[in-house]
Each structure stands twice: as structure tokens, then as C-alpha cells.
Amino acid sequence: MSLIHEIDYGTPASKSEKMVTLTIDGREVTVPEGTSIMRASMDAGIEIPKLCATDMMDAFGSCRLCLVEIQGRAGMPASCTTPVAPGLVVSTQTPRLKDVRRGVMELYISDHPLDCLTCAANGDCELQDMAGAVGLRDVRYGYEGENHVRARNDGAINIKWQPKDESNPYFTFDSSKCIVCSRCVRACEEVQGTFALTIEGRGFDSRVSAGMHEDFVSSECVSCGACVQACPTATLTEKSVIEIGQPEHSAVTTCAYCGVGCSFKAEMRGEELVRMVPWKDGQANRGHSCVKGRFAYGYSTHRDRILNPMIREKISDPWREVSWEEAFAHVASEFRRIQYQYGRDSIGGITSSRCTNEETYLVQKIVRAGFGNNNVDTCARVCHSPTGYGLGQTFGTSAGTQNFDSVEETDVVIVIGANPTDGHPVFASRLKKRLRQGAKLIVIDPRRIDLVKGPHVEASYHLPLRPGTNVAVVTALAHVIVSEGLFDETFIRERCDWSEFEDWASFVSEERHSPEAVEGLTGVPAELIRGAARLFATGGNGSIYYGLGVTEHSQGSTTVMAIANLAMATGNIGRPGVGVNPLRGQNNVQGSCDMGSFPHELPGYRHISDDATRETFEKLWGVSLSNEPGLRIPNMLDAAVEGSFKGIYIQGEDILQSDPDTKHVSAGLAAMECVVVQDLFLNETANYAHVFLPGSTFLEKDGTFTNAERRINRVRRVMTPRNGLADWEVTQKLAQAMGLAWNYRHPSEIMDEIAATTPSFALVSYDYLEKMGSVQWPCNEKHPQGSPIMHVDGFVRGKGKFIRTEYVATDEKTGPRFPLLLTTGRILSQYNVGAQTRRTDNVVWHEEDRLEIHPHDAENRGIRDGDWVRLASRSGETTLHALITDRVSPGVVYTTFHHPDTQANVITTDFSDWATNCPEYKVTAVQVSPSNGPSDWQVEYDEQARRSRRIAGKLEAAE
Amino acid sequence: MSNDAKLVRMANQIATFFHSQPAAEGPQGVATHINKFWEPRMRRQLFDIVDHRSGEGLDPMVLAAAPLIKRPAPSGSTDHPPAA
């Protein structure tokens, strides 16, 4: 194994199909029109010296190192900014070029420290490489003059020198090593789209500055790492590289945070992770990253990680460390005892959306084949289950229709119920790039999310609807499109059932669905809805991206159908630049659904009552499978409270913190006799567990994750599991203890079984992934290359189905006692329940959940910014600090759920989506009032959590 | 909220959706949905309300759907773990 070196072509690839032939250094080269001479040379294997150019960004032409000579043209043009032309004869190395380049280099080095041996970039410094490439041997100017390098010049203070900025927890900024190539500034603009960096001053005074001459952590910098990656010197350097040194080998793997599924190179020294660097060939991220994937991996070696299996009889007992064998035998005998005592259906399992496809497959397999029932569910229940249902009904498959590249060809984007700059940051960067090129944006969200107005990006329409009125708004959009005749009749006649369309069209045309009629309940001015509808229907390629603000409602499934209707009515399905795109929350939530984690479906979304599908698995597994759907997570908890559900195996999921109505969840868990939690840490759910099985991180195992664009990406093991076993091995050994004859030697064998049983995965194997890099399912005989875009020649279900979407107000209503509506979301630096990100330096950006409240509502209640406030609903109450902002409308408050001491889900109710039981997180009627500090409940909870984490013979855990 | 009340609410939510659909789909839609997604003990509980408490609180469309909903096997029919 060696370090993966990616070729830097210097300038981005041209997409032109017209080819141009020219001669470079006597070699004939043919490249697409629009390619730079620099890139064309690199294509031919000739590396022209460069400093300010890199293929992640447009050419800039400032360093004057990449000069070439062109026959018949005067001067020495920069090869990065000069496009190829037919018949050009280019020389990259002439006596004149050599002299000029050496002279340029000499100037750079005259203002650069000569501490190469002790420099963190030693071995990975482009400046050093270029000095070598141009043959620099001497700096005739000396080093004594004006400079940015030394704190003092002959004892006098050097005002040009600036101390190192170490404020960011993950990288340093050392201005003394900067050559002002502007790569960092351009990366921040072009790749990330934040515009946090700039060049201040002119001439010799020019220097890189974060914000208005601020330190990095106080500036708008979002710590995505693009600038660090772009820096050709040691000016911007990962602190981990400074501490450890340069990596010596690397493996391409997939980020274990959000559903974008970025590809990274895990760069290693031995078994120590030096850094994670986004991989340019990663099809989802195209070489970009966010603060989580790039930097927040420190949880994997955090001291809180539990490395030994543990058992206890009662949840009030301290934990007792045991051997793996004892733990497996104990779980197996407890589960069998419970089944004998309370019936076969009295136990179940939850698969993890953070674990690999292979691991998820095994958990649903142990439930179906080992427990003998279908009581298996996954966290998608509480996020995108309505997507599965809604798209399944309308299109015939639950999957998102596009790849992420599709955004590059979109013209009008609707973002509804999603906050990509925080939840899916790398996709947000790609979207912003397209918006800067001129695509139009419509945001439908109760909050003024960052996309509504940011640097060089502004939504044409922001529809700030009242939480819970998605269906009314989307149906009103359809009303405008139909009543104004803006629908795509040709598409509908060809691809959809015309009579169903007619039925739907007459439904949405009713006056009661007009923007004017619903204005009173949605709070959105009718003119905005009309304008947005016209723009979407007539603005070219229209795409819809949505998140949990759509699904986590009592009408979540109905909104998904309304979105699908809108896409079909405007003919925006089946080609690049359009489509319906659910932004999946967790790294492998798509995969966990694909793998049969739902209680009514076997892998590949085939209903459990389908005899042929069951037979496939029955033959292979040698068991008979129940044809009845099993319990969903909320149903499991209901059944537990009622006394018929007594044992659960939970892999990598913290239902106590993430699921709604915490008190109901804890009552359900407390009523069970054997709760088995497999996780990295003693999470909140483990407070109610009887057995703890330590889990492994994504760095410690082989497998695959499937991202939101259905892309199956490899996860590669780069270190030994600290707990001793990868998660798939834990499930396998548990299955063996329960008497199942499983014998997988490697996750690739599990994938082979998936491919053999699941038609949409038929061609997927580790060998094939090795060859292809990644593929998007369906990947089978019909689609051997995978399927970047779905429904290309027609819908999966045959004809697209229009479905009426009647708005039904949620039962969760505001009133005198609870006059405000609470909605929830997430923040860039934290992830989900925060178990991982809270154990990293990301806490510098978000150390607690805060309650966003409009100044008007705050004023009425005598609340000042930063005050403790009590947040109460019909379900419960908690306290947190207020953040006064007009991002939320009057009447709406907002918080995140990343911290267990806030426990936002004490507040949320047990209302749920009509079709899937996906909880209604996004609408809770609440009251907010000033408070003196944590509620009694929080104090009690904290005490209970602290007691339940005791481990016999060990000091108390810190958290 | 008691489990029964919750179940009634869930069933009525499904009926509410099908009320807005073309009339032909109504009860059949409710029944298909419940057959596909409700675990036997939930259906058993539903039938308990339909059979013994004259469908108290249930939307008339749920009652109309009841004959189309699959009756689950009586509880206890799979009271042992599968043979390993």
C-alpha cells in the first residue's frame, strides 16, 4: 500500500465535445476545445511548473511560473490562462523560459523562511518542488530586506510579520509562509462558496485575511478545509500533520457523516490517521468536503469509547465487563428465554443507518431468520420513510431520481424543508456554484435559511410558510401551474396516466387550493406562490431538493406525493438537471432501507407477503419466513409499554435521544427485559440497556455505504478495530450463539449474497466496485454501469401516478397555553445526536443547543439574548439558552437536537405521519418563558444517566 | 395516550387520506394500507375495537374497510422461537 497521489491538471476539465489538436514539445496532443495549454500538457505527461493553478479552480494567472512560448506569438503567455487552438506549436522549456522562471522563483524565495527541514509541509510542499523544478540555486537578493518572515528585523519590530493564527481547532494559518497565490481565497469562493477569505492590502502588503482581518475561528469561515487543501505551502496546514508528520500510505473510503457520502483519502502513518483529504474522483463530492468529514474524526480514538462488552442484570446496577463469549451467550439465552415466555414476536431489532450495507443486511437477517419474525426497523422510520412511501406510490420506487452531478445542469431549484448549507454542506456548495452561474432558487422553509441570502447567492422566492402547511403550499403551486396552463402536456401524455392527471388537475384547480385561498393558513403571500410556480414551470430544467422538513409531519407522505406530482406535471423527470431529490440524513440511511430494514420489506423493497421473494431467501437461509409485517419502532415501544414486546437488539442507533416523545421511549425501554445496545459510546439509549456490545468505527472495517444518490461507495478498513471486532462480526457471532450457521469470512461475501438475492444489486461485488470506483443502483444486466438518473425511458411503475393531495391540519395545534410552534433542525458542525461530533473539537462552533426566537416573541416574554428559557409542550419541558433572531418568523421557534442535556425530544409529541408513522418532529405547540436554569426533569435525567454509566471497577465516566 | 386511542387515531388518519381520493379507492385503500403495514397484534387490537366495542371512535371508512382487512392468526400461534 502506498500514498495515493492524484494528478493535478492545473485547470478544470473542459466539457466541450469538439476536439483540438496541437503540438507541445514536439508531441501531438488532442484535447477538448477550451482546455488550457497547461492541462493539455499534463494530459501528455508534461508537467509545466505552476504555483497558483490547481484543477479544482479556474485559472488565475498570477504566479508567472507556468509561462510557455508559442510559435508565431509574441511574449510568454501563462499556460493556465491560454486555451489550446488548432495547430499551435508550444514549447514548455526554452532558455528564455528557464531564466524567467528561475527569476520568478528567486523572488518568491527571497521572502520565504528557509526552515524546510522543520517545516510541517516538508515532503508535501509545492513551493519546494517548484524551486527544485526550475533549478533555483541561489537567491541573489539576500534575505535581509523588507520581509514577512521574521518577527524582528535587526531587533526592531517587523510590522509586516504576523503571528501564526491557531484559532481554528483543526488547522493553522502562518502568514509568514504565504506566497499570496490566492488559491485559498479562490477555493473559499469557487469550491465552498462562503467567500470568507480575501486578499487585503496591495503590492508587497498583500496578504490573505479571514473576514475583516479576523482570526479564522471568529470569521465566517466554515472550516470546510478547501483552503488547506488548496494551499501549496505550509501557510494553511492541518494541525494533525504538524503534530504527526506526513502520511506514508492511504486508502480511499467514504465519510460516515451525512447522506452526501463524500469520498476521502484516509492518509495514514502506520495505524494512525494523519488526515482525511477529499478525493477528487469521488463522484458525490468531486474533491470537496465539510468540517465534519474533513476534520471531525477524533471521536474514533476518544477516551469515552467503550472497548469491552458489558452486562448488567438491572439497569440500576453498574456495568460489569465480560468476555465477548459471555456477552453473546447471555444475549442468546435471554432472547430465547423471552421468546419462550412471551412468544416469538416479543423481540426485535433496529438496524443502523451509520453502519455498512453488509452490517445492516445481517441485522435484518438475524431478526428474520434467527428471531423468526419481522420486527426490524431503522432510523429511516423517523426521517425518510414518507419518501419511501410517497415516491413508491407515484413513481414506483422510493429512490431519489438523480445523481449529485445533475445539479450542474439545473436551471430552477426548489429547496423545501431542507437546510443544505448545514445538513448537506458539500451538496450545498455544489448547488451554490450552480446558482452563481445563474440558476434560480426557490426556498420553501419557515426559517430564513442561509441559502435565502448569502454571498453571491439569493433566492428569487422565499416562501416562509407556517410549520405544518407544506401540503397546502405545494398544492397551491400545482394550482397555479394547472390553472395557468403551464404544465407539460406532452410529457404527461407520454409518461403518466392521463385520466389520473385529469382527476388530479381538476382537484388542484378547485378554488380552495388557490394561493389566495390558502394564504390565511400558510402565512405565505399569494403573489409569492404564484411567482414561484411560474418560475418553476417555465424556467428550464426544474429540480426539487427536500429534507426532513417535508417528511417529519403528520402529512409527510402526502407532501412527498405533492412534490412528485409537481415534478411530473412540469415534465421534470428522467434527464439530468431535473428530478425529485430527497436529501438523506445519515451516511447509510439509503442503504439501510435498500437492505430490507423495514418490517414489511425484504432487501430491494419487496413486500414480505410476496411468496416468490420470501422463497428466494427461505431457500438460501434454510428457514421459513413469516409473511406478516413486523412492528415499526413506535409500534415496538407501544407494544413494550403494553407488555408484549420484551427484548431488542439495537445496532448503532440512539433512539432515546433521537426519537420523539422521550418519556414514551424511556417507558418502552424500561418495560423491556433485555435491551442490547451496540455502539461506540454509552449513548442515551444505553442508560436503559442490559447488554452493551462495543461497536467499531468506519475506519476499522470494510464494507459499503449507499448515499442519497443511490451510489454504492466502498468503506475501507485502515486500522484494527479497537474493540476487537467489526460490527458485522459482532452480529455474526451473536447469530452463531443463537444457533445460526453463519460463516462469512469477509464483508464481500455478504455483498455477494445481497447481489444474488436482490435484482437491483445483481452486478454489485467488491471486484466490480474496485473496477468502477462506485456504482448507482439499479446495477444489473439491464444497467451494467449503474443508473445515475432514474425513470429515463419511463417510470419504474409503468405510468407515473398523479395522486390528490388534500391538506389536513395537524392535530398539534397552538392555543392559549402553547401559542408558539417549535420546529427542529441541525447545524453544520454537529451531526445527529452529536455522539460523534460532540467528542471532537467541533464543539467550538456549537457547544449547546439554543432556542431561536423572534425578537417580537422574546420581547413579549421579557427574554433577552442568552437567557435561560423554559420550553414546554403538552409532552414535557426542558430549558436552554435563547438566541434572539429574525431568521424565524414571529410565532415560530427553532432548536437543534445535538446535545443530550437539552433533550429537545422531551418536547416533541407522539403525532406521526399517517402512512408511515414517521414522527411529527417539525411541529410542536410550545410555550416559552424565562427560567432560572435546568428543569427538575433535566437534573433527574442527568443523575439517572450518570448512575447508569457506572462501570464496576472503573472511575465514573466523564460525561 | 392509551394504545387503543393511538391505534384509533392512526387508523382514522389513514381513512382521512383516502376520503380525499376518488371514491372507488376508499375502503379498499384503507384495508390494503393496513394489511401491508400493520403488524398482526395491531390488527388484532383493531378487530377487538371493531368486534367488541362496536368500532368506538373509528372513522366509518375504517369500519367499511374492516371486512377487507386480513384477520391475524389468534395470539399464541407462534409462541415458540424458531428451531435453530
Side-chain angles (χ1 to χ4, degrees):
Chain A
M1 216 170 1
S2 60
L3 198 65
I4 300 163
H5 288 285
E6 293 172 271
I7 295 171
D8 187 345
Y9 291 89
T11 61
S14 162
K15 284 185 179 160
S16 173
E17 277 165 20
K18 194 174 162 201
M19 301 304 279
V20 169
T21 300
L22 70 164
T23 308
I24 302 175
D25 292 346
R27 274 182 247 182
E28 206 159 85
V29 185
T30 304
V31 293
E33 188 176 35
T35 303
S36 68
I37 288 177
M38 174 182 279
R39 189 175 177 106
S41 303
M42 198 63 200
D43 257 349
I46 302 162
E47 192 175 351
I48 300 175
K50 64 180 190 319
L51 279 170
C52 75
T54 176
D55 55 14
M56 288 291 288
M57 293 164 295
D58 289 339
F60 193 57
S62 85
C63 76
R64 312 319 294 171
L65 213 57
C66 70
L67 312 179
V68 290
E69 290 193 78
I70 301 173
Q71 235 174 58
R73 288 195 194 177
M76 292 171 285
S79 64
C80 63
T81 52
T82 309
V84 293
L88 285 190
V89 179
V90 178
S91 300
T92 71
Q93 181 83 335
T94 64
R96 186 155 74 129
L97 287 170
K98 275 160 67 177
D99 281 350
V100 172
R101 281 198 198 120
R102 199 176 286 155
V104 169
M105 206 60 212
E106 198 174 351
L107 283 166
Y108 275 119
I109 300 302
S110 69
D111 187 24
H112 192 83
L114 299 177
D115 61 351
C116 293
L117 278 180
T118 54
C119 178
N122 189 2
D124 182 28
C125 177
E126 292 180 40
L127 188 67
Q128 197 178 41
D129 294 347
M130 288 308 112
V134 304
L136 182 71
R137 299 290 170 254
D138 188 22
V139 175
R140 292 163 295 173
Y141 311 107
Y143 303 96
E144 301 311 315
E146 222 182 337
N147 66 80
H148 299 87
V149 175
R150 288 175 299 276
R152 287 179 177 273
N153 285 332
D154 296 329
I157 286 175
N158 176 8
I159 55 160
K160 291 214 159 34
W161 178 82
Q162 190 175 288
K164 220 176 185 179
D165 175 359
E166 297 184 306
S167 63
N168 183 293
Y170 298 119
F171 60 84
T172 62
F173 171 61
D174 183 354
S175 180
S176 74
K177 299 198 164 165
C178 181
I179 57 169
V180 204
C181 64
S182 299
R183 270 161 72 160
C184 55
V185 177
R186 290 182 288 139
C188 194
E189 291 179 8
E190 294 177 34
V191 180
Q192 166 56 28
T194 293
F195 294 75
L197 304 182
T198 190
I199 301 288
E200 63 179 27
R202 311 177 62 171
F204 198 66
D205 291 333
S206 307
R207 76 166 84 230
V208 171
S209 163
M212 303 295 284
H213 201 85
E214 293 155 271
D215 59 29
F216 267 74
V217 88
S218 321
S219 74
E220 304 96 319
C221 166
V222 293
S223 198
C224 68
C227 57
V228 182
Q229 196 182 336
C231 182
T233 70
T235 309
L236 288 156
T237 308
E238 295 92 347
K239 285 184 176 173
S240 58
V241 170
I242 296 176
E243 189 204 312
I244 302 167
Q246 292 295 328
E248 43 81 27
H249 71 269
S250 58
V252 172
T253 192
T254 306
C255 178
Y257 283 118
C258 80
V260 177
C262 297
S263 297
F264 280 89
K265 294 180 291 180
E267 296 196 334
M268 310 293 298
R269 179 155 281 281
E271 287 213 333
E272 186 170 26
L273 180 57
V274 176
R275 63 179 173 186
M276 296 284 279
V277 182
W279 191 42
K280 283 196 293 192
D281 277 351
Q283 313 271 305
N285 55 318
R286 301 282 178 194
H288 190 36
S289 63
C290 82
V291 60
K292 294 189 284 277
R294 177 81 151 95
F295 296 118
Y297 50 77
Y299 68 86
S300 62
T301 50
H302 195 277
R303 63 189 154 80
D304 283 355
R305 251 188 90 177
I306 303 292
L307 303 175
N308 297 305
M310 304 190 295
I311 291 179
R312 60 184 168 189
E313 213 172 295
K314 302 190 297 293
I315 59 169
S316 53
D317 293 342
W319 287 106
R320 184 167 59 86
E321 291 186 341
V322 296
S323 68
W324 279 109
E325 288 66 32
E326 188 178 346
F328 292 133
H330 177 82
V331 176
S333 85
E334 273 297 281
F335 278 175
R336 288 303 186 219
R337 172 190 68 78
I338 290 171
Q339 286 191 304
Y340 275 112
Q341 202 171 335
Y342 301 101
R344 182 190 285 198
D345 298 333
S346 59
I347 60 173
I350 298 180
T351 74
S352 176
S353 296
R354 293 173 208 158
C355 285
T356 62
N357 284 318
E358 294 75 4
E359 287 161 347
T360 304
Y361 178 86
L362 289 194
V363 173
Q364 64 90 32
K365 180 173 174 178
I366 199 177
V367 170
R368 300 192 203 276
F371 299 178
N373 60 46
N374 290 311
N375 293 330
V376 59
D377 208 354
T378 189
C379 89
R381 176 63 51 210
V382 301
C383 62
H384 267 294
S385 52
T387 294
Y389 183 79
L391 297 186
Q393 294 292 308
T394 47
F395 296 165
T397 174
S398 62
T401 64
Q402 309 299 113
N403 56 0
F404 283 125
D405 283 350
S406 166
V407 78
E408 294 176 6
E409 294 177 50
T410 195
D411 300 310
V412 188
V413 185
I414 293 182
V415 173
I416 169 168
N419 185 10
T421 53
D422 287 67
H424 302 84
V426 169
F427 164 70
S429 290
R430 299 190 65 181
L431 169 62
K432 286 194 286 186
K433 190 170 191 171
R434 180 65 190 154
L435 295 173
R436 288 195 305 274
Q437 291 166 354
K440 298 282 185 278
L441 174 67
I442 298 162
V443 172
I444 306 177
D445 202 289
R447 282 171 81 231
R448 197 180 66 236
I449 58 171
D450 284 352
L451 275 179
V452 172
K453 193 168 181 353
H456 302 272
V457 165
E458 187 170 3
S460 302
Y461 293 94
H462 174 212
L463 279 38
L465 77 181
R466 199 160 291 148
T469 61
N470 286 332
V471 171
V473 170
V474 182
T475 306
L477 289 169
H479 174 93
V480 178
I481 289 168
V482 170
S483 62
E484 298 188 4
L486 305 176
F487 53 91
D488 183 342
E489 184 170 340
T490 319
F491 177 91
I492 299 165
R493 283 195 183 272
E494 197 177 301
R495 305 288 188 94
C496 306
D497 184 310
W498 182 254
S499 69
E500 280 165 351
F501 169 75
E502 284 182 314
D503 173 75
W504 173 81
S506 71
F507 168 81
V508 299
S509 302
E510 290 172 33
E511 188 46 38
R512 63 200 177 91
H513 298 304
S514 72
E516 292 72 21
V518 297
E519 182 172 332
L521 62 103
T522 64
V524 183
E527 267 321 295
L528 290 185
I529 293 186
R530 289 201 176 268
R534 290 169 190 145
L535 174 60
F536 185 71
T538 61
N541 281 342
S543 55
I544 306 174
Y545 291 85
Y546 71 91
L548 307 184
V550 158
T551 55
E552 289 175 348
H553 286 279
S554 59
Q555 278 202 290
S557 294
T558 316
T559 312
V560 173
M561 294 177 200
I563 287 172
N565 290 338
L566 203 60
M568 289 189 290
T570 50
N572 280 312
I573 289 288
R575 62 180 190 276
V578 300
V580 174
N581 304 273
L583 294 170
R584 300 270 176 172
Q586 302 212 43
N587 53 325
N588 198 38
V589 68
Q590 177 72 53
S592 73
C593 297
D594 302 342
M595 292 298 108
S597 293
F598 286 138
H600 64 280
E601 279 172 346
L602 285 158
Y605 303 97
R606 290 165 294 170
H607 199 270
I608 192 77
S609 63
D610 180 56
D611 294 336
T613 308
R614 267 201 333 281
E615 203 180 305
T616 306
F617 288 94
E618 284 176 336
K619 269 195 192 142
L620 189 70
W621 296 349
V623 294
S624 82
L625 295 173
S626 163
N627 64 353
E628 286 281 14
L631 294 167
R632 300 171 286 196
I633 295 172
N635 311 143
M636 289 182 197
L637 294 165
D638 292 342
V641 171
E642 181 204 62
S644 68
F645 190 81
K646 293 289 190 182
I648 191 165
Y649 170 40
I650 305 175
Q651 182 175 76
E653 184 62 23
D654 192 358
I655 58 170
L656 185 62
Q657 195 183 337
S658 65
D659 285 33
D661 196 5
T662 306
K663 287 178 182 172
H664 182 63
V665 179
S666 60
L669 290 169
M672 296 185 205
E673 294 181 5
C674 186
V675 174
V676 181
V677 168
Q678 181 173 337
D679 210 296
L680 301 174
F681 305 103
L682 281 170
N683 61 16
E684 305 307 305
T685 307
N687 297 347
Y688 290 86
H690 305 87
V691 178
F692 187 89
L693 303 173
S696 50
T697 71
F698 75 113
L699 298 166
E700 298 167 340
K701 56 198 182 189
D702 282 307
T704 54
F705 291 152
T706 306
N707 73 358
E709 47 167 7
R710 296 170 277 106
R711 184 180 302 286
I712 306 160
N713 270 316
R714 271 299 309 276
V715 174
R716 290 187 173 87
R717 174 176 152 153
V718 291
M719 53 179 80
T720 313
R722 297 181 74 225
N723 59 325
L725 297 173
D727 291 300
W728 64 272
E729 295 175 289
V730 174
T731 307
Q732 165 153 292
K733 284 177 185 286
L734 178 57
Q736 288 166 345
M738 294 188 77
L740 298 166
W742 291 9
N743 189 26
Y744 302 104
R745 286 160 303 173
H746 188 266
S748 62
E749 299 180 356
I750 307 173
M751 183 51 87
D752 292 342
E753 182 172 319
I754 296 166
T757 52
T758 310
S760 50
F761 279 68
L763 283 188
V764 182
S765 71
Y766 280 28
D767 286 342
Y768 199 58
L769 290 173
E770 201 66 49
K771 196 173 117 198
M772 303 287 291
S774 65
V775 289
Q776 288 171 272
W777 68 256
C779 177
N780 46 31
E781 292 296 337
K782 219 175 137 198
H783 307 281
Q785 307 287 313
S787 311
I789 311 279
M790 299 278 279
H791 315 296
V792 174
D793 302 315
F795 286 98
V796 169
R797 73 184 298 279
K799 293 278 186 189
K801 183 179 173 65
F802 282 91
I803 299 179
R804 294 187 198 174
T805 54
E806 183 81 62
Y807 167 70
V808 179
T810 168
D811 290 333
E812 180 68 8
K813 292 187 169 53
T814 53
R817 280 177 65 210
F818 303 108
L820 303 172
L821 283 179
L822 169 75
T823 184
T824 57
R826 60 167 81 175
I827 204 157
L828 170 66
S829 57
Q830 299 288 342
Y831 177 70
N832 202 267
V833 295
Q836 293 141 289
T837 44
R838 277 185 286 114
R839 289 181 174 90
T840 69
D841 287 325
N842 277 25
V843 290
V844 307
W845 289 280
H846 185 77
E847 52 183 1
E848 59 174 358
D849 296 320
R850 298 184 70 175
L851 185 77
E852 291 188 8
I853 183 167
H854 190 272
H856 178 72
D857 291 324
E859 175 77 19
N860 279 347
R861 290 166 175 75
I863 293 164
R864 288 159 306 177
D865 197 49
D867 279 358
W868 275 107
V869 292
R870 170 178 170 274
L871 175 68
S873 74
R874 290 175 187 92
S875 293
E877 64 173 75
T878 188
T879 54
L880 64 174
H881 287 107
L883 174 70
I884 297 180
T885 168
D886 64 359
R887 285 173 72 120
V888 289
S889 306
V892 177
V893 292
Y894 166 89
T895 189
T896 50
F897 62 103
H898 300 305
H899 291 266
D901 31 5
T902 322
Q903 288 284 336
N905 282 323
V906 175
I907 307 298
T908 50
T909 67
D910 65 356
F911 290 119
S912 65
D913 173 49
W914 68 269
T916 64
N917 270 177
C918 178
E920 185 166 56
Y921 289 102
K922 300 293 182 183
V923 189
T924 311
V926 294
Q927 178 56 295
V928 177
S929 52
S931 159
N932 290 327
S935 68
D936 291 347
W937 189 86
Q938 279 168 298
V939 175
E940 258 169 58
Y941 181 90
D942 193 50
E943 170 62 16
Q944 194 266 347
R946 200 183 54 75
R947 285 182 55 79
S948 79
R949 294 201 173 111
R950 287 170 303 153
I951 300 173
K954 291 208 171 167
L955 287 174
E956 257 180 47
E959 197 186 42
Chain B
M1 194 176 231
S2 77
N3 264 358
D4 277 359
K6 215 183 245 185
L7 204 79
V8 168
R9 186 177 74 199
M10 282 162 51
N12 290 351
Q13 272 184 295
I14 297 167
T16 302
F17 175 79
F18 284 101
H19 276 303
S20 70
Q21 299 307 304
E25 290 182 28
Q28 184 60 58
V30 174
T32 306
H33 193 91
I34 288 178
N35 285 334
K36 268 177 95 169
F37 299 109
W38 283 28
E39 198 253 6
R41 80 192 91 167
M42 296 166 70
R43 301 204 310 269
R44 215 172 281 137
Q45 214 178 330
L46 180 71
F47 277 114
D48 193 49
I49 298 167
V50 173
D51 297 345
H52 304 297
R53 279 178 282 157
S54 49
E56 198 188 345
L58 286 171
D59 186 296
M61 194 187 279
V62 179
L63 293 175
L68 306 169
I69 297 173
K70 233 169 86 189
R71 280 201 180 251
S75 73
S77 62
T78 54
D79 263 1
H80 52 85

